[in-house]
């Protein structure tokens, strides 16, 4: 009889209680949910992709022109591998911009943003933005626009160990590939993803040559730098 009374009370309480009495009952999508849905929408992600792709292409072209007008004084091994990396970079920029501005339909078969969840693409958009900033910083240091007293100078040669080069030995190479892969995933473009992976493979082959040549110049300092700072992000 006691249990029956409790059950009757509970049923009447639930029936008579107003729907809005419980503050934990959702009345619709919250502010955070709405914001998340907005920033992970295809339109928002595409807009971010266009802006970052243009920023990346502009950064590359600007420093390429600047290096022709005012060559930097830092040691870099000019080889066929360096040329291959640069061709990959320009090709990836072309593929991404062609996708966004619909310049050609040749790569439509490889564009599949649905392969990646919205939050995954948003994460790579964020990483791409950070990478572009670090890449521009590294290129500005290499170009001599930013000078640090902590860099190592020997017989007119400079071993950059400051800024983004404190995170990765060849930041101007590594962050280039970082940005390309992030932009490619954010765009859902499988062709540019494949090109980015191939470019990373070329970079991995370049690193020992760069280390060897830098070791001939900076000797013990280069060995210490190599042991302390990784070659990849």
């Amino acid at each position: 009889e006691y249990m029956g009374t409790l059950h009757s009370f509970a049923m009447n309480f639930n029936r008579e209680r107003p729907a809005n009495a419980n503050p934990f009952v959702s009345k619709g999508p919250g502010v955070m949910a709405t914001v998340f849905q907005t920033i992970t929408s295809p339109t928002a992600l595409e807009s971010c992709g266009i802006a970052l792709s243009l920023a990346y292409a502009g950064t590359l072209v600007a420093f390429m022109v600047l290096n022709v007008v005012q060559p930097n004084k830092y040691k870099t091994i000019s080889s066929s591998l360096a040329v291959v990396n640069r061709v990959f970079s320009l090709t990836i920029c072309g593929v991404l911009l062609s996708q966004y501005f619909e310049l050609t339909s040749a790569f439509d078969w490889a564009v599949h943003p649905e392969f990646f969840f919205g939050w995954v693409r948003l994460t790579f958009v964020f990483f791409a933005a950070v990478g572009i900033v670090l890449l521009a910083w590294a290129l500005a240091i290499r170009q001599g626009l930013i000078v640090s007293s902590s860099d190592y100078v020997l017989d007119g040669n400079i071993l950059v160990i400051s800024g983004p080069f404190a995170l990765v030995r060849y930041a101007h190479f590594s962050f280039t590939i970082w940005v390309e892969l992030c932009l490619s995933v954010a765009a859902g473009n499988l062709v540019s993803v494949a090109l980015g992976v191939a470019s990373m493979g070329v970079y991995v082959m370049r690193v020992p040559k760069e280390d060897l040549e830098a070791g001939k110049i900076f000797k013990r300092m280069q060995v210490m730098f190599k042991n302390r700072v990784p070659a990849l992000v």
Side-chain angles (χ1 to χ4, degrees):
E1 182 181 354
Y2 175 72
M3 293 300 295
T5 302
L6 283 179
H7 178 71
S8 176
F9 173 77
M11 293 295 292
N12 291 332
F13 179 79
N14 288 331
R15 186 184 307 116
E16 296 172 3
R17 194 179 189 194
N20 59 356
N22 187 351
F24 298 102
V25 174
S26 175
K27 303 175 185 178
V31 175
M32 293 302 296
T34 302
V35 171
F36 182 77
Q37 290 174 1
T38 301
I39 62 178
T40 56
S41 66
T43 302
L45 291 171
E46 183 175 352
S47 298
C48 290
I50 292 172
L52 291 175
S53 295
L54 289 172
Y56 173 59
T59 300
L60 284 186
V61 172
F63 279 99
M64 285 173 63
V65 172
L66 188 58
N67 191 43
V68 171
V69 176
Q70 181 185 347
N72 68 66
K73 300 178 181 178
Y74 296 89
K75 278 286 182 181
T76 299
I77 311 308
S78 296
S79 66
S80 58
L81 295 179
V83 175
V84 172
N85 270 140
R86 187 53 53 88
V87 169
F88 272 127
S89 296
L90 295 176
T91 303
I92 289 171
C93 284
V95 170
L96 292 175
L97 293 177
S98 295
Q99 171 188 334
Y100 286 127
F101 293 102
E102 299 180 353
L103 302 179
T104 177
S105 59
F107 301 108
D108 287 355
W109 59 271
V111 179
H112 293 284
E114 69 276 8
F115 285 1
F116 308 98
F117 294 111
W119 64 268
V120 173
R121 295 175 64 197
L122 180 64
T123 301
F124 279 91
V125 163
F126 171 76
F127 285 149
V130 172
I132 290 172
V133 172
L134 292 172
L135 175 61
W137 186 6
L139 291 174
I141 292 175
R142 293 278 305 178
Q143 202 59 43
L145 302 179
I146 300 175
V147 180
S148 174
S149 57
S150 62
D151 294 335
Y152 185 71
V153 182
L154 179 66
D155 298 331
N157 296 305
I158 304 175
L159 179 64
V160 186
I161 58 177
S162 61
F165 292 90
L167 302 175
V168 57
R169 288 204 299 282
Y170 305 108
H172 53 307
F173 301 151
S174 190
F175 283 117
T176 296
I177 296 167
W178 167 285
V179 171
E180 290 167 357
L181 286 173
C182 289
L183 288 177
S184 298
V185 173
N189 193 308
L190 303 184
V191 168
S192 56
V193 169
L195 291 172
V197 172
S199 185
M200 181 171 63
V202 174
Y203 168 69
V204 169
M205 291 188 288
R206 285 181 66 184
V207 168
K209 296 184 178 182
E210 296 283 349
D211 285 338
L212 180 62
E213 293 300 319
K216 292 178 182 178
I217 300 170
F218 302 105
K219 298 180 172 55
R220 184 169 175 270
M221 187 64 187
Q222 169 64 18
V223 174
M224 293 172 59
F225 185 50
K226 176 181 176 181
N227 291 336
R228 187 176 74 251
V229 181
L232 284 171
V233 178

